[in-house]
Amino acid sequence: MKSTTSERINHTIFVLVTLLYWCSLYVYVPILSPYLDHLGASYTMAGIVLGSYGLTQIVLRLPLGITSDRFKSRKPFILLGITSDRFKSRKPFILLGMLCTASSCLCFALGEQLGWAFAGRVLSGVGASTWVAFTVMYAGLYRGEQATRAMGTISLLTVAGQLFGMSMSGYLVKWGGWNAAFWTGAIIGLAGLALAFLLKEPKESGERAPMRFADLAPVMKDKLLLKVSSLSILAHSVLFITMFGFTPSYALSLGADEAGLTLLVFAFMIPHAVSSFMTGKRFAPRFGAWNVVLLGFAVSAVCSAATSLVPGFGLLLLTQAVNGFFQGLHFPLLLGLSIQHIPEQKRATAMGLYQAVYAIGMFAGPFLAGGLNEWAGLKSGFYLAGVLGLSAVGLTLFWFRPRRQPSGASQASLSR
């Protein structure tokens, strides 16, 4: 059945909103740790600011997901001139997400102080916590049998938005100073907010029981979900210590300029996107999902630790390209494995729990690395990332004893 013109327009608007959402969230990420250095932050304070993004998601992601699942308008009302039939389950949370991403950038732009930087990063965490509403609404734009295709598409949109935003930051700083990146992010976020008002909520087919906090208890007892979630904590800790944490600061210490940060972004993110796209379709069916997860953790651990040993910026780019590729192997597989064995009616709850749990790594990784860097220097945080990666290797071997056989793990979207 062909989609109508209205449906195609709505789909296009959603794609644009999603790209602007991730672009606004990540446009300043490569320059964030150097900016905190510029403000005079200690490594400990930098770790707190960087980690606040994950801490906010630990607290809010699951409650927002459940609230979004249960929220439905019962009678007509007017909000900002738009009737309630345009505001059902997901759209208010998408609007909230876009508003918070824009406000996050404004906090950075309007106040060149550590307090404003902390407030801005917390707001970005609130914005990122609404991502579950984006994924559920996007899946609703597809027929039920096309859910896998929807998740694959939104995965590409996530990486594309992040890459576009991060690739601009170095050039923006070189052109207009630190605030150029923050003002650009605010404008992008406000543009996404304006477009989001045009979104139409897709109709849900049939009645579906909403996710509840009471549903968490049986899901939390699932041993495989808990094991996969624990590995994902370690994976996100490594990522938010390295490329989304202190690697840009280390690049500047090796002599890179602001434009060099753009090269660093491309070196990491392009291989990361390629391997994320291929791992579920090519590598996992051929070599087995757990073998691929193990390889991803092992090589990324070595590359993360080796970051502190490279003598120049050129070699750093090489290590980040390898690191980006192998980190891209395990993120989609862990996401797919977290819900693959869960009954259909409980998958939304399991995914909400999984996303809330792995946010621990977004907080704990940079927080611990910041304290360690304060005590032993910037290089020590990369050794910590290596240790965490090797810990994931050990847990994978202990829990799953990977074998060379195909796996049914599916490709799923990247959620950071």
Side-chain angles (χ1 to χ4, degrees):
M1 180 178 178
K2 294 184 178 180
S3 59
T4 65
T5 301
S6 177
E7 289 173 336
R8 289 194 296 270
I9 292 174
N10 195 45
H11 186 274
T12 301
I13 293 173
F14 192 96
V15 167
L16 292 174
V17 170
T18 302
L19 290 172
L20 294 172
Y21 169 81
W22 285 112
C23 185
S24 180
L25 272 175
Y26 276 76
V27 67
Y28 61 80
V29 167
I31 58 117
L32 182 53
S33 60
Y35 176 69
L36 295 174
D37 291 340
H38 165 73
L39 295 181
S42 65
Y43 286 128
T44 299
M45 185 61 195
I48 292 172
V49 174
L50 292 171
S52 62
Y53 175 77
L55 181 62
T56 307
Q57 293 182 64
I58 295 171
V59 175
L60 294 181
R61 206 164 209 177
L62 190 57
L64 280 177
I66 292 176
T67 304
S68 168
D69 208 29
R70 297 178 65 84
F71 183 80
K72 291 183 180 180
S73 58
R74 296 180 178 275
K75 56 184 179 180
F77 66 93
I78 303 295
L79 179 61
L80 297 178
I82 302 176
T83 56
S84 64
D85 63 337
R86 301 280 295 277
F87 281 84
K88 294 185 181 178
S89 315
R90 318 297 175 186
K91 186 172 173 179
F93 298 91
I94 291 176
L95 293 172
L96 173 64
M98 293 306 315
L99 178 62
C100 287
T101 60
S103 300
S104 166
C105 295
L106 285 174
C107 283
F108 282 102
L110 294 174
E112 198 170 333
Q113 298 174 359
L114 283 174
W116 282 105
F118 178 75
R121 202 58 181 147
V122 168
L123 275 174
S124 70
V126 177
S129 298
T130 65
W131 176 239
V132 63
F134 280 78
T135 57
V136 174
M137 184 171 176
Y138 190 68
L141 299 177
Y142 285 76
R143 305 290 188 271
E145 65 275 10
Q146 295 179 311
T148 302
R149 177 185 170 189
M151 291 300 97
T153 302
I154 206 168
S155 173
L156 292 178
L157 295 176
T158 298
V159 175
Q162 291 173 345
L163 177 59
F164 184 65
M166 293 172 70
S167 65
M168 292 193 295
S169 58
Y171 286 116
L172 288 169
V173 171
K174 188 173 183 178
W175 167 71
W178 300 106
N179 278 353
F182 302 134
W183 280 113
T184 300
I187 293 170
I188 291 171
L190 291 173
L193 177 63
L195 272 178
F197 274 98
L198 302 177
L199 284 172
K200 296 180 180 179
E201 191 87 29
K203 294 181 180 179
E204 295 186 0
S205 56
E207 289 296 325
R208 177 177 58 87
M211 186 167 61
R212 302 173 301 167
F213 279 104
D215 297 329
L216 288 175
V219 172
M220 290 177 66
K221 296 178 182 178
D222 187 275
K223 292 183 179 180
L224 179 57
L225 175 60
L226 293 177
K227 290 176 180 178
V228 172
S229 298
S230 299
L231 291 175
S232 195
I233 290 174
L234 294 172
H236 282 83
S237 293
V238 173
L239 178 62
F240 278 78
I241 289 173
T242 55
M243 189 61 217
F244 292 172
F246 294 100
T247 301
S249 288
Y250 189 65
L252 293 179
S253 74
L254 294 177
D257 58 11
E258 291 84 355
L261 294 180
T262 299
L263 294 177
L264 184 69
V265 168
F266 281 120
F268 183 93
M269 291 298 293
I270 291 178
H272 188 81
V274 170
S275 61
S276 295
F277 180 73
M278 295 179 63
T279 186
K281 293 186 176 182
R282 298 290 180 85
F283 301 142
R286 182 174 180 179
F287 301 108
W290 288 114
N291 291 312
V292 176
V293 168
L294 179 67
L295 180 64
F297 275 126
V299 178
S300 66
V302 172
C303 287
S304 297
T307 298
S308 60
L309 302 176
V310 297
F313 181 62
L315 191 56
L316 179 66
L317 293 178
L318 178 60
T319 61
Q320 295 312 296
V322 177
N323 204 352
F325 182 87
F326 282 92
Q327 284 196 40
L329 292 180
H330 50 62
F331 278 109
L333 292 180
L334 291 174
L335 189 58
L337 288 163
S338 69
I339 62 169
Q340 176 183 311
H341 63 294
I342 300 292
E344 187 71 30
Q345 66 273 19
K346 295 182 180 180
R347 284 189 174 182
T349 305
M351 181 57 69
L353 176 64
Y354 174 77
Q355 292 185 2
V357 168
Y358 75 57
I360 295 173
M362 296 179 182
F363 164 71
F367 176 75
L368 294 175
L372 188 59
N373 289 343
E374 185 76 21
W375 174 65
L378 181 58
K379 293 183 177 182
S380 58
F382 300 113
Y383 290 122
L384 173 62
V387 169
L388 293 175
L390 289 177
S391 299
V393 170
L395 288 175
T396 304
L397 286 170
F398 178 73
W399 282 335
F400 303 107
R401 297 187 183 131
R403 297 180 295 275
R404 186 181 178 84
Q405 62 181 13
S407 169
S410 60
Q411 172 76 9
S413 69
L414 287 174
S415 302
R416 334 180 244 289

